[in-house]
Amino acid sequence: MEGRTSEPSPAAAVVPRKRRRRIVESPCGWWEGGEGKLPALNAGDVFFYGHTHIPVAKKKGDIYIINPGSVSLPKEGTPHSAGILCGDRFKIVSLDGSVYKQIDFD
């Protein structure tokens, strides 16, 4: 057809996002050895875990470590909390909706 090209218009261009593998892993007792017992991870991976009732949102080296905490039985003086993943940001929020911790994935 006249006037059409095979190139997408700038508004239709797709910008590729960095790909990363997200791992949901929570073998019972893995945390007894601390972070030294993490499974094999690649740079940029995100490791989600639970069962400790302690919220964590941090970057260690080239990986991200996430635990949303506990809605029912928080420990170590932390608030009752839950996690929200939105795009490349993870928030740990207390039940009143305030942000307790957050991390942006590079």
Side-chain angles (χ1 to χ4, degrees):
M1 288 188 163
E2 196 173 323
R4 293 206 172 188
T5 67
S6 61
E7 296 296 316
S9 69
V14 176
V15 177
R17 293 182 57 184
K18 286 192 259 182
R19 302 185 101 191
R20 68 178 67 81
R21 180 178 52 183
R22 288 187 166 84
I23 300 172
V24 178
E25 178 70 45
S26 188
C28 192
W30 82 264
W31 54 86
E32 292 171 2
E35 292 174 11
K37 286 183 66 175
L38 288 172
L41 299 167
N42 296 318
D45 283 350
V46 181
F47 180 71
F48 286 93
Y49 72 100
H51 304 288
T52 64
H53 302 264
I54 301 167
V56 174
K58 66 181 182 178
K59 186 173 183 183
K60 181 178 180 181
D62 291 335
I63 64 167
Y64 299 89
I65 301 173
I66 307 293
N67 183 328
S70 176
V71 172
S72 60
L73 299 169
K75 293 184 178 176
E76 296 187 2
T78 60
H80 296 259
S81 62
I84 300 171
L85 177 62
C86 185
D88 284 339
R89 175 172 288 162
F90 185 83
K91 294 180 184 180
I92 297 173
V93 296
S94 64
L95 297 186
D96 67 6
S98 62
V99 176
Y100 178 68
K101 292 184 178 193
Q102 78 175 26
I103 192 165
D104 292 323
F105 305 131
D106 297 333

